[in-house]
Amino acid sequence: MEKSSIIHFPADQFVYAADNKTLHIKIHTKKDDILAVSLLHGDQYIWEDGKWVYEQTEMKKAGSDLHYDYWLAAITPPYRRSRYGFALTNEKETVILTEKGFYDTPPADSGYYFNFPYLHESEVFQAPAWVKDTVWYQIFPERFANGDTTIDPEGTLPWGSEEPTPANFFGGDFEGVIEHLDYLVELGINGIYFTPVFKAYSNHKYDTIDYLDLDPQFGTKETLKKLVAECHKRGIRVMLDAVFNHSGYYFPPFQDVLKNGGQSQYKDWFHPHSFPLDTKAERPNYETFAFVGAMPKLNTKNADVKNYLLKVAKYWIEEFNIDGWRLDVANEIDHQFWREFRQAVKTVKPDLYILGEVWHNSMPWLRGDQFDAVMNYPFTTNVLNLLAAKTITAQQFADNMTAVLHSYPSTVNTAAFNLVGSHDTPRILTECGDSKDHVKLVFTLLFTFIGSPCLYYGDEIGLNGEMDPGCRKCMIWDVEKQDRDTFSHVQKLISLRKSEKLLANEGELEFLKTDFPGLVAFRKFTTSKSVIVLVNASDDEVFYTLPYSLKGQLVRNLYSNEDFAGEADTLQVKLKGLDFSILSIDHANPIL
């Protein structure tokens, strides 16, 4: 037994409250090294005849990747607390793992075991319930639609007349979004994520001048209120983008520091190293976003800064009834600020969605005291590596995503913000070498995987473009110039996600084994039903036999709405090159 590869810590993704009564406990072991794992668990204060009383629960193998097997048990401690250990068995031996090490037999004293002291309801991770049923649409306001030309910035260009640059303007605004809300309803969208809308200098608005005012090129506060109300009337939630890591160059407190240096009352709002501030240096003498002199980093430990930003966060909820905050460069702000941020906004609106921009492992922000979710860039990376760059096989995709899923509690995964493109990345069509067949498979994975999917504006009608600024083209509204085939595909997938709850984060997810390097197969399931998703990323035709006994049962292809009566024990599914299938199966018979 490879004991050095056995991993468990009594915290985070290894032991957590799945709900107000249930604990999930996980352990990782070397792949194929352990045949069975049992959880030994009991209340630390219950003893009989001088020995700790425990019960034994068999753990199930919840997933495997290239290196590890992931084991899971769900228990309901009657007194909300538990001591626990593990009995691990391979072909040669059984060993007991406790907090104090490995033993041949279970120690009689509960003090040896791992401890979950108490399940507090206040510490259960709870993202807003509505998020798991939400399909997001990211809008870069300057490029979505121009509905009011009277507020266009000086020098605004005719819509779509030139390629986007870091400096040009086309006049997108709130009125333009209002005019096209019915288009989003037709597509099936029920959540909009807006990149920043506050007063700023640039076309992207990530360089805020005034956090309590809107950029005049987008419209008035009355227009935004109308937009939010019209969205809510259609069942669409609204999430705004907060840039609290840094301000813009023209933010008045920063201008004061530039003018008055060390005598400025706002000098502690930032992180100056010396005075005067050198805004044009390759590496400025004050802290910034990256080394961009026009984006000075805010000091969120400073009480005045903190109070100002928390006021901002509450203001847009209280006055405009927004439903979520997306937090830019969230990982570079201190955790204590985010804890206070969560308390502030959840007091105003308990089911507000808090989404952090974190590109790497995000467990420190997802313990229930800060964010509800992060942008799931590991999902993005693996989907693109499979279908765009073609640098990984289907099995590697399954291994990588299994590792990602088991890096977090299951409660976190259902609220993850999944995306395949944004204002920060090349367009998905460009990533896929202009292959619409590959794009369709990307969207098939996006809308069937666990998490809350987000579509970047225009990807559904074939917009292309390289990295920023190329990915920020004007939306095409001439139907004759839109890719309506891709639109219909996305529309169908969103519709399926709404009608089949297993596609909208009900149940569990596991990858299925296949013999084809290009075939991704996974199922989302409960005890009574499975939905199996097959995606053939190769150009070759494949035949996949479903690993279930299906005789006498009905199998439905959800996408084509075809039924297959089970007249044989198994069903073989034919997939052409770059093809997919989404199948619904009665789960009365066990996996073979």
Side-chain angles (χ1 to χ4, degrees):
M1 184 179 295
E2 190 65 59
K3 294 179 181 177
S4 62
S5 296
I6 298 172
I7 302 175
H8 176 81
F9 300 99
D12 294 335
Q13 71 269 34
F14 290 98
V15 55
Y16 56 91
D19 56 39
N20 292 340
K21 297 180 179 180
T22 309
L23 285 183
H24 281 183
I25 299 177
K26 295 182 178 181
I27 189 169
H28 303 176
T29 63
K30 181 182 177 181
K31 186 173 183 177
D32 298 330
D33 186 47
I34 303 296
L35 298 177
V37 183
S38 292
L39 183 72
L40 314 180
H41 58 98
D43 191 286
Q44 65 177 328
Y45 299 110
I46 297 179
W47 293 57
E48 289 181 5
D49 300 325
K51 292 184 179 180
W52 176 52
V53 176
Y54 64 84
E55 56 184 299
Q56 194 160 325
T57 297
E58 183 180 352
M59 303 186 76
K60 70 174 182 177
K61 188 185 294 185
S64 299
D65 61 22
L66 182 62
H67 302 292
Y68 292 103
D69 290 328
Y70 301 94
W71 304 84
L72 167 68
I75 61 172
T76 306
Y79 301 101
R80 295 177 176 266
R81 60 193 177 227
S82 184
R83 288 280 186 167
Y84 64 91
F86 306 91
L88 303 108
T89 302
N90 67 5
E91 295 176 346
K92 297 181 180 179
E93 60 180 332
T94 294
V95 300
I96 309 300
L97 173 63
T98 74
E99 190 170 63
K100 297 185 184 300
F102 290 97
Y103 297 89
D104 294 331
T105 59
D109 187 340
S110 62
Y112 280 74
Y113 292 80
F114 294 103
N115 187 23
F116 189 90
Y118 195 82
L119 196 165
H120 296 276
E121 291 187 21
S122 62
E123 296 178 353
V124 177
F125 179 91
Q126 290 181 318
W130 56 266
V131 173
K132 66 183 179 64
D133 297 316
T134 301
V135 175
W136 295 96
Y137 192 87
Q138 182 188 352
I139 291 179
F140 190 83
E142 220 286 315
R143 304 293 159 77
F144 187 66
N146 189 340
D148 184 356
T149 58
T150 65
I151 58 174
D152 286 354
E154 183 178 352
T156 293
L157 300 169
W159 193 255
S161 60
E162 294 183 9
E163 290 295 310
T165 72
N168 58 12
F169 291 84
F170 295 92
D173 52 36
F174 295 143
E175 193 61 45
V177 177
I178 293 172
E179 291 175 358
H180 292 93
L181 286 178
D182 289 341
Y183 165 85
L184 298 182
V185 172
E186 179 190 6
L187 184 58
I189 298 303
N190 56 0
I192 297 176
Y193 151 41
F194 289 101
T195 53
V197 295
F198 309 121
K199 188 175 181 180
Y201 177 79
S202 65
N203 56 26
H204 56 71
K205 312 303 179 189
Y206 281 96
D207 50 352
T208 312
I209 295 174
D210 189 342
Y211 289 85
L212 291 168
D213 200 5
L214 297 167
D215 196 287
Q217 85 156 92
F218 295 146
T220 65
K221 290 183 177 180
E222 288 70 28
T223 310
L224 178 59
K225 287 182 179 179
K226 177 184 175 183
L227 170 57
V228 174
E230 290 295 325
C231 285
H232 287 170
K233 187 187 300 182
R234 293 166 173 80
I236 298 173
R237 309 271 183 165
V238 176
M239 179 165 62
L240 299 185
D241 203 329
V243 191
F244 291 167
N245 175 69
H246 55 272
S247 74
Y249 180 84
Y250 294 104
F251 183 47
F254 186 67
Q255 286 293 305
D256 192 273
V257 178
L258 288 178
K259 178 181 178 180
N260 297 310
Q263 303 305 310
S264 171
Q265 62 177 314
Y266 296 106
K267 68 179 187 301
D268 292 331
W269 280 47
F270 305 94
H271 299 270
H273 299 164
S274 60
F275 295 103
L277 301 185
D278 185 351
T279 63
K280 297 182 179 180
E282 181 179 358
R283 296 185 180 181
N285 61 338
Y286 54 96
E287 294 179 31
T288 63
F289 167 68
F291 291 111
V292 181
M295 293 182 173
K297 183 174 177 64
L298 290 164
N299 178 11
T300 50
K301 185 179 179 181
N302 178 277
D304 291 334
V305 173
K306 184 183 297 185
N307 291 336
Y308 174 74
L309 295 180
L310 295 183
K311 175 184 176 181
V312 169
K314 291 186 291 185
Y315 172 76
W316 296 97
I317 306 168
E318 293 168 336
E319 297 296 324
F320 298 86
N321 197 23
I322 65 169
D323 305 289
W325 276 116
R326 183 266 188 183
L327 308 170
D328 189 60
V329 201
N331 60 331
E332 295 187 22
I333 296 177
D334 61 285
H335 291 282
Q336 182 57 30
F337 174 82
W338 289 133
R339 293 185 185 100
E340 295 181 38
F341 173 89
R342 182 182 185 87
Q343 291 177 346
V345 299
K346 294 284 188 176
T347 299
V348 178
K349 195 168 191 175
D351 69 343
L352 186 96
Y353 184 50
I354 304 175
L355 172 67
E357 183 199 18
V358 183
W359 291 59
H360 50 84
N361 185 285
S362 308
M363 195 64 242
W365 293 269
L366 295 170
R367 292 178 173 134
D369 60 344
Q370 295 172 68
F371 304 159
D372 294 317
V374 296
M375 302 180 79
N376 194 357
Y377 279 107
F379 172 83
T380 313
T381 299
N382 281 288
V383 169
L384 295 184
N385 284 345
L386 174 71
L387 289 164
K390 303 173 187 176
T391 55
I392 61 174
T393 65
Q395 184 58 55
Q396 288 172 315
F397 173 82
D399 286 342
N400 294 346
M401 288 312 304
T402 297
V404 171
L405 291 174
H406 287 280
S407 296
Y408 302 102
S410 59
T411 47
V412 168
N413 291 325
T414 58
F417 189 88
N418 295 343
L419 67 162
V420 294
S422 74
H423 65 289
D424 286 327
T425 66
R427 287 277 179 177
I428 188 60
L429 181 59
T430 298
E431 291 272 29
C432 290
D434 293 324
S435 169
K436 295 179 182 178
D437 289 334
H438 284 86
V439 169
K440 284 185 175 182
L441 296 187
V442 167
F443 287 144
T444 300
L445 288 174
L446 174 65
F447 290 107
T448 59
F449 207 72
I450 189 171
S452 187
C454 181
L455 188 69
Y456 185 44
Y457 82 95
D459 279 352
E460 77 281 4
I461 51 94
L463 278 189
N464 60 5
E466 300 289 347
M467 182 69 84
D468 163 32
C471 59
R472 301 174 181 179
K473 288 183 178 179
C474 291
M475 178 69 174
I476 296 173
W477 291 112
D478 183 346
V479 175
E480 297 299 319
K481 295 180 180 179
Q482 293 180 346
D483 177 4
R484 298 302 292 183
D485 180 51
T486 299
F487 176 94
S488 296
H489 177 65
V490 172
Q491 184 184 49
K492 177 70 172 181
L493 290 169
I494 294 174
S495 176
L496 288 179
R497 189 178 180 91
K498 291 181 177 179
S499 62
E500 174 49 70
K501 292 302 181 183
L502 276 176
L503 293 176
N505 296 316
E506 299 291 342
E508 302 176 57
L509 181 147
E510 71 172 0
F511 285 93
L512 303 175
K513 293 182 179 180
T514 77
D515 296 324
F516 306 100
L519 181 62
V520 174
F522 63 88
R523 69 170 182 142
K524 301 174 84 172
F525 63 97
T526 63
T527 55
S528 60
K529 189 176 185 180
S530 285
V531 170
I532 294 182
V533 178
L534 303 173
V535 173
N536 182 14
S538 74
D539 296 320
D540 301 323
E541 182 178 85
V542 299
F543 293 85
Y544 178 70
T545 301
L546 297 180
Y548 292 94
S549 176
L550 299 171
K551 192 169 185 177
Q553 298 185 49
L554 192 68
V555 179
R556 170 166 290 179
N557 186 320
L558 295 178
Y559 191 87
S560 64
N561 203 29
E562 296 177 277
D563 291 338
F564 304 92
E567 298 179 357
D569 284 339
T570 59
L571 177 66
Q572 190 176 68
V573 181
K574 175 183 176 181
L575 293 167
K576 299 178 294 183
L578 302 179
D579 195 8
F580 67 94
S581 189
I582 306 172
L583 303 173
S584 172
I585 303 172
D586 185 317
H587 208 13
N589 288 325
I591 194 165
L592 293 177

